[in-house]
Amino acid sequence: MELFALGAIIFYIAATYYCIKALTVTQQPSIRTIFILGAGATLCHLFWMGFDIVTAAGINLSIINVATLISLLISIIMTLSINKFKILPLLPIVYGFSAIVIALSYLIPTTYISHLSDNIPLVVHIIVILFAYAAFIVASLLALQMAYLDYQLKHKRPIAMHPALPSLMTIEKQLVRLLSVGLALLSVAILTSFIFFDNSFTHSQVHKTVLSILAWLFYSVLLWGHFKQGWRSNKIAFGTLFGSVLLSLAYFGSRFVKEILLN
């Protein structure tokens, strides 16, 4: 089991190194090598999560395990997108974060056992939440790339013309699509929580519910502003980042305090 964690970390570090190396040259980078390393990393990551989450006592959905699972989803999405989109500058962030959370899940094991076998609605709810959050985090990474590229263009830096970097318009289109997908998934997650569960506004869940609804409203206004008012570039980028902060506080805020700070 530990070999999968070690293998994932090694592959992620190697992929990160090749990404950074590719960004320091002006030639078109070798995507094939990065894809192979990224695929190897995500495969090892997947096996590690299988051993770490599924236990004899039940499903271990501790905060670190959830973060590791989300990082796996993001790494898979980004790795599969390498050949289609120019996301090379984002990969060191994604792969570096995945390596860190895998190391943390191994060095600081935490337990939060959930029994999901007899609760199909809860399983569906969790899956939708994970994919919604992953979509918004990838959108946030694109927002960072867009803000960075916009800054470089305004200051007429040569790196803005690097062959590994896409155009601002391309990033914006990808960002808006991800926001739309994330908003649809978040809508399903909020709706299913009201339909299938009666504890949405209990003391332990109220902050999550309220912040999730606020994030939903914020993203809805952001997309409305883009399509109806013509909001572009940095306004969309910083709005996306703020919405992701709201969701992060909703999903990880109280559990971080309970499982890490007060443990």
Side-chain angles (χ1 to χ4, degrees):
M1 180 172 67
E2 290 80 4
L3 288 177
F4 288 120
L6 180 61
I9 291 172
I10 291 173
F11 274 119
Y12 277 133
I13 291 175
T16 300
Y17 167 77
Y18 273 96
C19 288
I20 295 174
K21 182 179 179 182
L23 289 170
T24 60
V25 298
T26 56
Q27 292 82 9
Q28 185 68 30
S30 174
I31 299 300
R32 186 170 182 271
T33 300
I34 298 171
F35 176 80
I36 292 172
L37 291 172
T42 54
L43 189 60
C44 290
H45 192 161
L46 178 63
F47 281 112
W48 163 250
M49 290 307 302
F51 284 113
D52 202 37
I53 287 182
V54 181
T55 68
I59 306 300
N60 183 10
L61 292 178
S62 68
I63 185 172
I64 294 179
N65 277 2
V66 172
T68 310
L69 184 56
I70 291 173
S71 72
L72 172 61
L73 291 176
I74 295 171
S75 294
I76 291 174
I77 292 171
M78 300 297 277
T79 301
L80 293 176
S81 302
I82 290 176
N83 292 316
K84 188 174 182 181
F85 304 110
K86 293 184 177 181
I87 54 172
L88 193 61
L90 302 178
L91 293 178
I93 301 174
V94 173
Y95 290 157
F97 178 76
S98 292
I100 290 171
V101 293
I102 290 173
L104 288 176
S105 68
Y106 177 73
L107 296 173
I108 314 174
T110 55
T111 303
Y112 188 89
I113 300 298
S114 299
H115 301 282
L116 304 177
S117 57
D118 298 326
N119 197 339
I120 300 302
L122 181 59
V123 173
V124 174
H125 179 71
I126 291 174
I127 291 173
V128 172
I129 285 178
L130 289 175
F131 276 97
Y133 188 72
F136 283 125
I137 293 301
V138 174
S140 296
L141 292 171
L142 289 176
L144 286 173
Q145 186 179 25
M146 186 164 67
Y148 170 78
L149 184 57
D150 182 67
Y151 176 84
Q152 297 299 330
L153 287 170
K154 286 179 179 178
H155 290 79
K156 299 180 180 179
R157 302 284 176 80
I159 194 170
M161 304 306 295
H162 195 284
L165 292 176
S167 66
L168 276 176
M169 186 173 293
T170 300
I171 301 176
E172 187 178 284
K173 289 181 179 178
Q174 296 168 1
L175 174 57
V176 171
R177 287 173 186 167
L178 274 172
L179 288 178
S180 300
V181 171
L183 184 62
L185 291 172
L186 183 58
S187 300
V188 173
I190 293 174
L191 186 61
T192 54
S193 70
F194 287 136
I195 294 175
F196 296 113
F197 314 114
D198 55 5
N199 63 343
S200 297
F201 288 98
T202 59
H203 178 71
S204 61
Q205 296 292 323
V206 64
H207 75 283
K208 176 182 176 181
T209 302
V210 171
L211 286 173
S212 296
I213 293 173
L214 286 176
W216 183 90
L217 290 171
F218 186 83
Y219 282 124
S220 298
V221 171
L222 194 63
L223 286 173
W224 172 84
H226 171 74
F227 288 114
K228 298 298 184 180
Q229 302 296 319
W231 294 354
R232 306 292 298 272
S233 194
N234 284 340
K235 187 174 289 187
I236 296 294
F238 291 119
T240 300
L241 294 172
F242 181 76
S244 295
V245 170
L246 285 178
L247 279 183
S248 298
L249 290 174
Y251 295 150
F252 295 107
S254 64
R255 289 190 62 181
F256 178 79
V257 174
K258 292 177 184 178
E259 295 183 33
I260 306 298
L261 298 182
L262 299 181
N263 193 353

